[in-house]
């Protein structure tokens, strides 16, 4: 693995084939679809087979149109799957981080699952991100990294990430921070981008300074993927900056469902 560290430092990324088993990735993918299927049944009124990909994804689009608020909430609940969080603390990941030089790895931000499709977007930026460096939003250790992997086989047509090898050493580029990751303002040469491609189980690990962007999903399908992010608490500049944590996580101030629950519902539940 020493050679991989050298390669990582040089290129700013590694693609590791079969890093995970297909079964463990499929379990997370299944649970995510199961959550959506529960709400699809309630809102759209159909008992959809999650393994019938096109039919299920069409139902996802119908659900998105029928009840946007509930769709967004379900999308947020999906971010809390135990299976996904468990994978994020997996020994194989901790060992990989150590192999690229981490002394004291921590989770930089909660794991994120994306289900990207032009049909699941009201604005531009949530299904397709322009060129950016994740460090601008994470602001963690200088050696902070992103782990990106799809839950389905993912090639150029499904919009797998496009990366600029070795761009992790060009510095923090100017970016418009109005989107949630911020798009780099300077035009970067098209020919510098490399299109990635994955089978289920493959993993891309990249420096938070590596310039990357979403590929172009030209299919009708959803591109399901997970991003995990880590910091190295032993990195001196992170320590000197007092371990900044720029992510904000806070509860709603008001009851989401007014007049809920009734006392009787609790009595019945705990009877
Ligand atoms: O998955 C994508 O298309 C973009 C993800 C990404 O760039 C990121 O999470 O930083």
């Amino acid at each position: 693995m020493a050679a991989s560290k050298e390669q990582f430092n040089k290129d700013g990324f590694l693609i590791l084939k079969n890093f995970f088993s297909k079964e463990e990735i499929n379990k997370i993918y299944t649970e995510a679809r199961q959550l959506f299927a529960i709400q699809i049944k309630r809102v759209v009124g159909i008992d959809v087979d999650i393994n019938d990909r096109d039919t299920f994804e069409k139902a996802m689009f119908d659900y998105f149109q029928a009840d946007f608020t509930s769709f967004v909430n379900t999308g947020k609940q999906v971010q809390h799957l135990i299976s996904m969080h468990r994978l994020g603390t997996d020994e194989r990941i901790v060992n990989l981080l150590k192999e690229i030089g981490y002394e004291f790895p921590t989770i930089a931000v909660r794991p994120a699952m994306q289900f990207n499709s032009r049909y699941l977007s009201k604005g531009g930026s949530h299904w397709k991100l322009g060129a950016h460096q994740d460090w601008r939003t994470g602001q963690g250790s200088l050696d902070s990294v992103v782990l990106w992997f799809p839950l389905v086989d993912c090639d150029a047509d499904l919009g797998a990430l496009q990366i600029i090898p070795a761009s992790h050493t060009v510095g923090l580029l100017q970016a418009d921070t109005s989107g949630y990751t911020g798009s780099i303002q300077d035009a970067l040469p098209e020919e510098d981008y490399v299109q990635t491609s994955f089978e289920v189980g493959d993993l891309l690990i990249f420096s938070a300074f590596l310039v990357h962007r979403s590929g172009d999903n030209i299919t009708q399908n959803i591109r399901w993927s997970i991003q995990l992010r880590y910091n190295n608490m032993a990195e001196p500049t992170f320590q000197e900056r007092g371990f900044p944590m720029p992510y904000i996580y806070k509860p709603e101030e008001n009851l989401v469902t007014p007049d809920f629950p009734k006392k009787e519902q609790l009595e019945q539940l705990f009877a």
Side-chain angles (χ1 to χ4, degrees):
M1 196 71 192
S4 300
K5 180 179 174 185
E6 209 175 295
Q7 197 186 332
F8 179 83
N9 285 343
K10 178 168 161 280
D11 298 337
F13 75 96
L14 294 171
I15 293 182
L16 303 168
K17 297 293 292 175
N18 300 310
F19 187 84
F20 301 116
S21 75
K22 292 190 190 310
E23 292 72 31
E24 63 194 331
I25 299 301
N26 199 44
K27 181 172 188 296
I28 303 173
Y29 177 40
T30 298
E31 289 184 359
R33 285 174 297 161
Q34 281 170 340
L35 277 196
F36 278 109
I38 291 168
Q39 290 298 328
I40 286 171
K41 187 169 182 188
R42 184 183 71 84
V43 173
V44 187
I46 52 171
D47 206 349
V48 69
D49 175 1
I50 62 167
N51 293 314
D52 179 345
R53 186 174 181 182
D54 290 348
T55 307
F56 174 73
E57 295 189 348
K58 164 77 172 56
M60 287 277 287
F61 305 150
D62 291 344
Y63 172 35
F64 176 84
Q65 292 299 336
D67 188 344
F68 179 66
T69 302
S70 152
F71 183 93
V72 169
N73 282 332
T74 305
K76 287 182 180 169
Q77 297 295 348
V78 162
Q79 309 303 322
H80 294 251
L81 287 174
I82 289 173
S83 53
M84 176 166 72
H85 285 248
R86 190 176 280 142
L87 194 71
T89 61
D90 193 276
E91 225 22 58
R92 287 164 296 179
I93 293 179
V94 176
N95 289 336
L96 172 63
L97 296 173
K98 292 200 167 153
E99 281 157 9
I100 62 158
Y102 272 46
E103 277 172 57
F104 192 161
T106 59
I107 293 165
V109 65
R110 285 173 296 160
M113 185 186 295
Q114 291 194 42
F115 20 92
N116 297 65
S117 160
R118 68 188 75 230
Y119 305 112
L120 298 177
S121 172
K122 283 189 190 254
S125 74
H126 279 84
W127 80 278
K128 196 169 170 223
L129 299 179
H132 63 279
Q133 294 165 305
D134 278 30
W135 198 87
R136 186 169 283 282
T137 43
Q139 301 182 49
S141 59
L142 284 179
D143 52 359
S144 53
V145 288
V146 183
L147 274 59
W148 189 102
F149 52 95
L151 306 181
V152 290
D153 290 344
C154 183
D155 59 8
D157 285 356
L158 199 59
L161 278 202
Q162 297 172 353
I163 59 180
I164 301 189
S167 54
H168 62 311
T169 55
V170 300
L172 187 62
L173 300 174
Q174 282 303 321
D176 163 15
T177 51
S178 58
Y180 77 105
T181 51
S183 252
I184 291 170
Q185 297 303 286
D186 295 338
L188 297 163
E190 268 310 304
E191 60 273 19
D192 287 359
Y193 287 96
V194 167
Q195 174 69 57
T196 60
S197 178
F198 303 82
E199 284 176 299
V200 172
D202 299 347
L203 171 72
L204 166 67
I205 176 171
F206 60 96
S207 157
F209 285 97
L210 193 82
V211 177
H212 61 287
R213 66 183 182 191
S214 305
D216 201 11
N217 181 356
I218 57 167
T219 74
Q220 300 294 306
N221 286 116
I222 298 172
R223 195 203 56 183
W224 298 79
S225 68
I226 288 178
Q227 294 83 48
L228 307 171
R229 297 179 169 85
Y230 301 88
N231 278 322
N232 180 10
M233 309 309 274
E235 195 274 305
T237 67
F238 195 31
Q239 293 184 358
E240 279 156 24
R241 293 188 304 119
F243 294 148
M245 170 46 90
Y247 288 92
I248 299 161
Y249 179 48
K250 61 184 177 83
E252 278 282 348
E253 282 171 20
N254 300 311
L255 282 181
V256 173
T257 314
D259 304 321
F260 177 85
K262 297 274 182 276
K263 181 170 171 285
E264 302 75 56
Q265 289 171 297
L266 292 171
E267 285 169 351
Q268 197 186 347
L269 176 70
F270 294 113

